[in-house]
Amino acid sequence: MIKALILRNYGPLASIDWDHIGKINLVIGNNGTGKTFLLKAAYSAIKASEEYKRGDEPRKFPEILASKLYWTFQADKLGDLVARGQQDKLEFQMEMAEGKISYSFGDSTVTTLVDVLETLNPRSSNSLFLPEKEILTLYKVIIDSRERTKLFGFDDTYYDLAKVISIQPKKGKNYQEFSDARHSIEKVVDGKVYHDENDRWVYQKGRYLFPINIASEGVKKLAILDTLLGNHYLDRDSVIFIDEPEAALHPKAIAQFMETIYLLSKSGIQFFISTHSYFVVKGLSLIATKHKESMPVLSLENGAATIDDLQNGYPDNPIVRESVRLYEQEVELSLS
């Protein structure tokens, strides 16, 4: 579990000090404020910690981390991640239950990290990043382009996910919360998506089977999470990063998806969610109020970051302000 994050001069993120991180954490802001940057930075660090000393992995931690940053951000050189016009170095610190990770580098850094500190105990759990777009129809192309051509295209959030969604479900008892979440997802998509014996992804709705290509993007997106819960890749100590969960989902599905996330968080899974959707903020706010749960929210605006908690109400953020403005305009028009 991630406990705290500190970032300095990290692309569009000038200064972030985020402690008291919870089970469900929300990052909100307009386009270009650094929401995805923040998630990718944290994901790269925790994923590197999971690969470190696992199996027959021969690389040292700085090598794994540098590779993960390179392929996740797909910058020509790592120094390109340093905030433009800044003389100071980029700095990153992350505190986890398993230890701490910190690194820094300047804008001339290419692919080698020197200033890296880690105090990590082995981490056996798996974490993943669910990007904005679904990949069920593209996962073989993603794997091939990354492993054969080794060219920029699909970054490592897509590549890491593509490698695990094809894992066949393991037999045996699953966590009850995972089984309940899978039933919840099945209700949202009004059916089931699975990998059949002919190596095809199919969508089953009632008695009928359809090729996955004709299923909606929202169905395929939620099916990815269902697959990860079913193939036992995730466990109660996993961390899941979700970029714009609202993409391709209608408002009711978004609300149901947020309830599923809450259910999984009660099992132990930690979530980091970036969004600019009022429906996501509203859904999680209602859950936080109903269950009296702390849900930290980091609001990004004009290079500044403020930290609130959805349990205490809506944060002061452009997304919320615009939603309130539209509501007030609607009321005004109805009264005129």
Side-chain angles (χ1 to χ4, degrees):
M1 178 174 173
I2 298 174
K3 296 181 177 181
L5 286 167
I6 296 175
L7 293 88
R8 300 278 187 270
N9 302 318
Y10 212 124
L13 304 169
S15 182
I16 303 289
D17 290 86
W18 196 3
D19 55 9
H20 302 296
I21 290 175
K23 283 294 185 181
I24 299 178
N25 306 279
L26 191 62
V27 183
I28 62 176
N30 290 332
N31 292 330
T33 53
K35 302 185 302 298
T36 304
F37 239 80
L38 177 60
L39 263 61
K40 284 186 173 183
Y43 172 75
S44 298
I46 198 168
K47 201 63 181 175
S49 76
E50 292 171 354
E51 294 180 14
Y52 181 47
K53 293 183 178 180
R54 184 176 292 189
D56 57 356
E57 173 58 66
R59 295 175 297 171
K60 296 180 179 180
F61 181 75
E63 295 176 82
I64 299 173
L65 176 61
S67 175
K68 185 57 64 179
L69 288 171
Y70 178 77
W71 286 106
T72 298
F73 286 100
Q74 298 202 350
D76 290 331
K77 59 184 179 68
L78 294 180
D80 291 340
L81 300 180
V82 181
R84 297 298 174 88
Q86 286 292 330
Q87 298 299 318
D88 295 331
K89 290 183 176 181
L90 172 154
E91 297 180 14
F92 176 91
Q93 296 181 44
M94 183 167 77
E95 181 181 351
M96 300 188 297
E98 296 82 4
K100 295 182 179 180
I101 297 171
S102 68
Y103 61 85
S104 65
F105 55 81
D107 58 10
S108 62
T109 302
V110 182
T111 58
T112 301
L113 295 181
V114 177
D115 192 6
V116 179
L117 296 175
E118 57 84 14
T119 57
L120 295 170
N121 293 318
R123 178 172 167 79
S124 59
S125 298
N126 297 306
S127 301
L128 275 176
F129 192 113
L130 299 182
E132 177 186 356
K133 298 184 181 299
E134 64 83 21
I135 66 166
L136 287 182
T137 55
L138 292 171
Y139 77 97
K140 291 183 178 180
V141 174
I142 293 171
I143 294 173
D144 181 67
S145 66
R146 174 71 162 78
E147 296 182 351
R148 186 174 59 86
T149 63
K150 296 187 182 301
L151 297 175
F152 286 170
F154 294 100
D155 66 51
D156 260 18
T157 63
Y158 288 92
Y159 173 62
D160 292 341
L161 185 58
K163 287 189 295 182
V164 301
I165 62 170
S166 59
I167 298 175
Q168 290 298 322
K170 296 179 181 178
K171 294 183 179 180
K173 189 174 182 180
N174 205 342
Y175 301 116
Q176 184 60 50
E177 299 92 341
F178 286 19
S179 297
D180 292 343
R182 297 191 71 195
H183 288 307
S184 176
I185 292 172
E186 189 173 333
K187 290 180 181 179
V188 176
V189 303
D190 192 24
K192 186 181 298 184
V193 175
Y194 61 90
H195 204 200
D196 70 9
E197 63 277 5
N198 297 314
D199 194 27
R200 299 175 304 180
W201 285 94
V202 295
Y203 173 46
Q204 180 178 354
K205 188 173 184 180
R207 297 183 294 109
Y208 300 100
L209 288 178
F210 303 94
I212 192 61
N213 290 336
I214 69 172
S216 71
E217 181 121 344
V219 165
K220 289 181 281 191
K221 186 172 184 178
L222 291 176
I224 292 174
L225 179 57
D226 176 69
T227 299
L228 297 172
L229 294 171
N231 66 15
H232 292 218
Y233 183 77
L234 300 173
D235 64 27
R236 287 172 168 165
D237 291 320
S238 294
V239 181
I240 299 179
F241 302 84
I242 308 179
D243 192 18
E244 298 188 15
E246 67 272 13
L249 294 179
H250 58 79
K252 183 178 180 180
I254 292 173
Q256 292 172 315
F257 190 18
M258 295 305 104
E259 289 284 356
T260 301
I261 287 173
Y262 174 70
L263 178 63
L264 289 171
S265 75
K266 299 305 290 182
S267 76
I269 292 180
Q270 186 180 36
F271 289 89
F272 287 84
I273 302 167
S274 72
T275 186
H276 46 64
S277 167
Y278 176 71
F279 292 107
V280 171
V281 179
K282 179 73 172 179
L284 289 178
S285 177
L286 291 173
I287 292 170
T289 302
K290 176 182 177 182
H291 298 284
K292 296 181 172 59
E293 291 279 352
S294 173
M295 289 190 188
V297 52
L298 182 74
S299 299
L300 300 173
E301 182 180 9
N302 299 325
T306 56
I307 301 172
D308 297 284
D309 196 310
L310 288 179
Q311 187 181 13
N312 302 325
Y314 296 118
D316 182 20
N317 184 273
I319 295 171
V320 175
R321 291 199 294 271
E322 179 64 12
S323 299
V324 171
R325 186 190 69 80
L326 290 174
Y327 172 74
E328 292 175 344
Q329 184 179 21
E330 181 181 20
V331 172
E332 184 180 335
L333 288 173
S334 67
L335 296 175
S336 60

